[in-house]
Amino acid sequence: MRKLIIPFATLAAAALIFMACDDIPRSESEPEVIPPAKIVLSDGTFVSADDITDEQKSSAVAVIFDEEKKLGVGLRITEGKIWCGSRSNACNTTTYATSEDYGRENTNEIANMEDFNEDYEAFQYCIRYSAPGYTSDWYLPAINELKKIYDNRKSLGYAFAILGRGFPTTDLFWSSTQSQDRADGALMIHMRDGDIRSGGKYSGAYNGVFPVRSFNNEK
């Protein structure tokens, strides 16, 4: 019987091809799965973005970005707001609104200031924000809450699209957390890459605002 002789170079090349193919991530050809966010309705109930009906869409008030704490983003996102005016008491100090985790705490701190007025545009927008069934307790998110919004931007964007609304992916957004390295600065995040920056509270940084609220059985 004739023996089949395969040259060593051929075997080596085949092994390399097999190894290379084995290193290719199997998920590259698979579509990305975006977990559907929950949408809050005016009656306090929650519904998955995939399951919401056309009738329910008319009573949607927010989309959940933190499932554990039941924190949601209001549907009317705005832009072009300053953190505070140049003559505001909070403009050149780092003693107010210092929490990195609790935006409501920061917002209450600013709202209780003696000179709280129209110059605190980002805060005013959130405090005055209202939706059916939820007319109060909206606030400007702290930096870690804002980071959570960024981390869940695809899920949020999917839910907003289901509701016929756009979700920002390229803009800077204010947090309610002041910078600790500069008295006139507040922290912000860029929705394009998640970059956290410190920007002048009253300078040219006219940023966007996410009105946020807890939906943990509170109205």
Side-chain angles (χ1 to χ4, degrees), residues 175-213:
S175 81
S176 58
T177 307
Q178 294 198 133
S179 304
Q180 292 303 303
D181 58 348
R182 51 180 294 189
D184 67 341
L187 298 181
M188 61 184 78
I189 197 168
H190 205 299
M191 292 300 291
R192 180 184 62 234
D193 52 17
D195 183 35
I196 295 176
R197 311 176 186 181
S198 176
K201 299 171 184 175
Y202 63 90
S203 63
Y206 292 92
N207 298 337
V209 174
F210 287 114
V212 166
R213 192 190 192 282

Side-chain angles (χ1 to χ4, degrees), residues 2-160:
R2 178 180 298 179
K3 294 183 179 179
L4 180 62
I5 301 176
I6 302 176
F8 176 78
T10 301
L11 287 172
L16 288 174
I17 293 173
F18 176 81
M19 291 172 61
C21 291
D22 194 53
D23 288 337
I24 297 175
R26 298 303 182 216
S27 61
E28 283 187 357
S29 60
E30 299 174 359
E32 182 180 9
V33 177
I34 301 175
K38 290 183 179 178
I39 297 172
V40 187
L41 306 181
S42 59
D43 63 359
T45 58
F46 298 77
V47 60
S48 169
D50 278 342
D51 298 330
I52 193 168
T53 65
D54 289 338
E55 183 179 0
Q56 290 173 322
K57 289 178 183 179
S58 63
S59 63
V61 300
V63 179
I64 296 295
F65 68 89
D66 188 325
E67 183 66 31
E68 180 181 357
K69 296 181 179 179
K70 294 295 184 292
L71 299 180
V73 176
L75 301 182
R76 299 191 308 277
I77 300 169
T78 191
E79 58 184 13
K81 304 294 183 183
I82 58 174
W83 202 89
C84 68
S86 60
R87 297 182 181 181
S88 302
N89 290 345
C91 181
N92 292 295
T93 178
T94 58
T95 59
Y96 304 103
T98 58
S99 176
E100 296 184 354
D101 299 304
Y102 302 105
R104 176 176 286 180
E105 180 180 300
N106 290 338
T107 300
N108 289 343
E109 185 75 22
I110 295 297
N112 289 330
M113 296 184 66
E114 293 182 358
D115 72 331
F116 186 63
N117 55 28
E118 301 298 327
D119 289 339
Y120 292 87
E121 292 181 359
F123 291 95
Q124 287 282 7
Y125 182 78
C126 292
I127 290 174
R128 294 177 176 179
Y129 191 89
S130 181
Y134 296 92
T135 59
S136 62
D137 293 328
W138 296 87
Y139 63 86
L140 186 64
I143 188 59
N144 287 338
E145 293 172 323
L146 193 60
K147 180 64 163 55
K148 193 84 171 181
I149 292 174
Y150 171 78
D151 290 341
N152 290 281
R153 65 194 183 281
K154 291 184 179 180
S155 180
L156 290 168
Y158 179 81
F160 269 69

